[in-house]
Amino acid sequence: MIQAIGLTSNPRKEFPPALDDVSFEAQAGCVTALLGGAGAGKTTALRLMLELQQGRGVTFFRGRPLHRMAHPSREVGVLLGDVPGHPARSVRGHLRMLCAAAGVPARRADEVLEVVGLVSLRDERLGTLSRGMDRRFGLACTLLADPHTLVLDDPAEGLTTRERRWLHGALRAHATQGGTVLLTTADAKEAARTADRVVTLERGRLVADQDAAEFARTRLRPRVAVRTPHASRLATLLGKQARTAHRSVEVVRESGNRLSVYGSSCADVGEIAFRNGILVHQLADEIGDMGPGSDTGPDGMEARADEEARAAHDDAAPAKADAGAGGRRRRGAARRRTPAGDLAPAPERSQASGEGQGGGAAREDAHETSHGTESGPSARDAGSRASDHPAHDLPDLPPPISVRPAPSPLRPLRYELRRALGVGTGFVTTGLVLVVSVLTAVVLARIGHTPHARLLVAWPRELPLPPAALGAGLLGAIAFGDEFRHPALAADRGTVPRRLGLLAAKLLVASATALVLAVLTVGCNIEVLYLVYGRELAEVPADWLSLSASWIGLVVGCAWAGVLAAGLFRSTTAGLAAVVTVPIVVVPLVQKVLEGPSVRTAAGFPLRLREVLLSQWPFGGERYLAAVARVVGQPVGGALTLSLAALLCAYLFTTLRSRVR
């Protein structure tokens, strides 16, 4: 159950607030539609409910606000706009990454793909999905953690009729199983046809909060659509009959040979046409328009039929591919499936047509209309909801899952590993770094005048950092930069949760990546130098242990600087700029401080350290500690340490400030 109380957005300068004191409820087991045109405040209401926008008011999801939930994704499934996924990531890979973030088993990805009909497209890239497939994929993301509540912003926008039926059937199935569904739409007829309750917004204010049947009766005009070559004569007879019976009937002459009759029924119009021998080509009960987007007129019916034919043709290819995985997707012979994997039952056509002299009108009762009866729009709306749908006609949802509430330290680590390995950016960057490093080492060896230690890591004196350190910093910056470009963990673009567990996982993966990159760079450089120039340049220095520690510390420090700066400034470019700033700006400052006049020196530090510790550490631990101190005491090491400390403190400060807010 959703309880929204007093939702009010902050006003902008002289403009009134986009949403002003809106309160409503969405009951469990029901589909609630938030209806309104462009600028009515529907999306603003959802953003305020999900705490994505500052304003006044409070929203309770099953009695708790969103910020009081330990794992909001397990309680509320959100779909605002397109799915914010990396276009180069596969469908299955993205879902498995979200499984790791939510703490659910990886097999859950295959289960939801089976339900939404994307089994055949699980290896496709997100950037290649069509609009309809993207909507299915978005619903799969919302159902992944088995949430009780679904909040969707205009989920049927841009979909074909077949895809709309499937989506509404899936949402109806979720509500039938006890879940809460809240969606926004600008189509009043769609709201009346698919929802149990309709909340109408207009210019940021609540206009009406009604059951769907009452909404269709009071805010939509039921009508009878008639198509006949004798439209003028039939209109005259209908008006005469209404005056005789003292009834309020309005007959509107549409373009061509069509009529719209308000205040009557198919039976009355058909009986009058039959008694007077008038040929009828079409006779149908319809719901009148409410704003743009209506397509239920006679022309709209023909367009819809053409659209369904095109949708069936377009979906034929995925259907053939899904046939190969049919054994895994079948869960019962009683379920009805369309050829395109459409899990929802097709609603009856809201058209009753007949040919011949009055015969079409006389046989109107034998044909199905959109509501199956002549009692008005209430029966139509009731027939489209769960009470009249057999259970086996609704799409199957993923099976319930039980997730341990205790947090696992491996959850963000699994997520980060799947995020980094899901796209080829890291592999391409590593390959380019190795190629540039090898070429640089060969050129430096040919020119000469480069110290042997710098030659092995391909670090010219003219460059502030070697290629491996720059590559590690770039990979670290991408770790957070991709989160802000494609925020998979956020309900809306641009909002990435600041969690210390996620930061620790990114630092750990960045350290491992930098270590591998540092070892591969030195190994490849030594091999190529040996092949080109012989054994002399490929010899390992005598003080290789201390040099290796300094080299690994430099590369890992650059990677950490990229991660922290990108997470702090929310940009990959800012992360890489922070890495380059250390040797260009910070190192000269540290050198000036260290080279200035000093009365005291740090000579004899290892001896004094041993005296302070009172006893020797096992395996000569004080020697390693002294080596770390020497590395930090160098200008580059000191500058990098200061930069990392400053970035970490700034990140922690912003994290705590966001939590306080």
Side-chain angles (χ1 to χ4, degrees), residues 643-655:
S643 301
L644 290 177
L647 289 173
L648 182 59
C649 291
Y651 187 91
L652 294 178
F653 174 75
T654 54
T655 301

Side-chain angles (χ1 to χ4, degrees), residues 4 9 54 71 77 133 253 269 279 348 399 494 529 584 599 649 659:
S9 63
Q54 294 184 359
H71 301 285
M133 296 301 104
R253 181 72 180 270
V269 175
L279 176 66
E348 293 90 352
L529 289 175
I584 295 179
V599 179
C649 291
R659 289 188 177 182

Side-chain angles (χ1 to χ4, degrees), residues 312-492:
H313 180 269
D314 294 340
D315 292 340
K320 294 179 181 178
D322 283 339
R328 289 177 294 178
R329 298 181 60 188
R330 297 190 186 94
R331 294 189 180 178
R335 293 179 58 199
R336 175 182 178 181
R337 292 180 181 270
T338 65
D342 192 355
L343 303 182
E348 293 90 352
R349 301 292 299 275
S350 57
Q351 179 174 345
S353 59
E355 303 289 342
Q357 183 76 10
R363 290 193 299 268
E364 190 273 334
D365 292 335
H367 290 273
E368 294 179 329
T369 63
S370 60
H371 48 44
T373 182
E374 300 169 353
S375 58
S378 300
R380 168 184 179 162
D381 297 316
S384 65
R385 291 192 289 272
S387 57
D388 293 336
H389 275 300
H392 63 269
D393 282 343
L394 295 176
D396 281 348
L397 293 179
I401 56 174
S402 58
V403 183
R404 291 181 298 177
S408 170
L410 296 179
R411 184 182 307 152
L413 184 59
R414 292 195 195 99
Y415 164 80
E416 180 60 21
L417 287 173
R418 289 173 181 169
R419 186 206 63 79
L421 299 177
V423 294
T425 305
F427 302 102
V428 173
T429 303
T430 301
L432 290 177
V433 167
L434 293 178
V435 172
V436 173
S437 180
V438 166
L439 294 178
T440 305
V442 171
V443 173
L444 290 177
R446 182 177 181 83
I447 296 175
H449 309 294
T450 302
H452 188 57
R454 279 180 169 262
L455 181 62
L456 294 182
V457 297
W459 189 357
R461 294 182 182 273
E462 296 77 15
L463 294 181
L465 288 173
L470 287 174
L474 177 59
L475 291 177
I478 290 175
F480 254 127
D482 272 354
E483 295 287 0
F484 292 100
R485 289 186 61 194
H486 313 287
L489 296 179
D492 184 41

Side-chain angles (χ1 to χ4, degrees), residues 217-274:
R217 179 175 55 83
T218 59
R219 300 189 65 83
L220 297 179
R221 293 187 68 187
R223 68 185 179 188
V224 179
V226 185
R227 186 168 59 182
T228 172
H230 309 287
S232 300
R233 181 185 173 196
L234 181 59
T236 302
L237 293 172
L238 289 174
K240 181 178 179 180
Q241 178 68 21
R243 290 189 296 270
T244 302
H246 301 286
R247 294 175 57 190
S248 177
V249 176
E250 180 183 0
V251 182
V252 178
R253 181 72 180 270
E254 306 289 351
S255 60
N257 55 358
R258 293 185 294 271
L259 297 175
S260 292
V261 183
Y262 297 92
S264 186
S265 64
C266 282
D268 294 339
V269 175
E271 183 178 352
I272 293 174
F274 177 75

Side-chain angles (χ1 to χ4, degrees), residues 154-173:
D154 206 357
E157 180 185 7
L159 300 186
T160 63
T161 304
R162 179 185 297 277
E163 291 165 344
R164 286 173 181 264
R165 288 204 308 265
W166 176 87
L167 179 63
H168 293 149
L171 298 180
R172 172 59 56 193

